Amino acid sequence: MPARQKMDATAKLIEEWTLPSAATLGSSVRAKGIVREVRAHLPLAAKKLLGIEVGVLTLRMQEGAYGDFRTASAIVSKTLEGIEGLPVIPREVEDILTISSAERHRWLKDGRLQSSGTRTVKLRGRARKVTFHVFDPRHIEDVLDRDLVTAWREEDTIAAAENRRRAAGKAALKRAQKSGRKAASAPDSTRDGMSRQKLKGWDEFESDGLLR
């Protein structure tokens, strides 16, 4: 990604770097992540002077700051070396593959999305640190190129239908077993009722002396 230096109409020093598609993977979210990564290496005064537009990083400084400009430019160029290998973070994965957070979690859990490790950061405004999985950009690129997301969604649809079928079968079996238990207890109740009917009037039968 060769840099270009020039002077604009307002006498500012400008240098540009075009990010390769292998680095951004077609994602504006990923491109912004790369900008944040590069800014993290720049001096505080130069961080806000680096921007991005349509996949092109641009560093702008006043003409009188040529020394600072050269220093910042060298840092940007150095940081961008091998930027294609920068791990992909969760929100970038979701944007690149056009998937939901639920799908990312599910496919990570069952191994279809392969984690390349974890990263722990402290987010602004939060007391506790946050740990999340990161992914190899080449793995994400392979998933994208082979359209594996479509295949995984089809697999999930089939699995969900099978789970519903099994659940319905278990529910039907449970109802059948419950009905069977009720049917088995019914004859006993009938016999008890008949016995009570036969014993009705027993006292009168005995008083007539028929048993003597």
Side-chain angles (χ1 to χ4, degrees), residues 193-205:
M194 292 176 65
S195 297
R196 283 194 296 271
Q197 290 177 359
K198 289 181 180 179
L199 291 174
K200 187 176 181 181
W202 180 264
D203 292 338
E204 292 81 354
F205 181 77

Side-chain angles (χ1 to χ4, degrees), residues 21 23-28 95-96 144:
S21 59
T24 64
L25 297 175
S27 167
S28 60
D95 187 63
I96 293 167
L144 182 65

Side-chain angles (χ1 to χ4, degrees), residues 162-202:
E162 178 63 17
N163 289 337
R164 287 194 297 269
R165 187 190 66 76
R166 289 180 179 176
K170 288 181 179 179
L173 179 60
K174 188 174 182 180
R175 288 194 298 269
Q177 291 173 338
K178 188 175 182 181
S179 298
R181 286 194 296 270
K182 287 183 177 180
S185 63
D188 294 336
S189 300
T190 303
R191 285 194 298 270
D192 291 343
M194 292 176 65
S195 297
R196 283 194 296 271
Q197 290 177 359
K198 289 181 180 179
L199 291 174
K200 187 176 181 181
W202 180 264

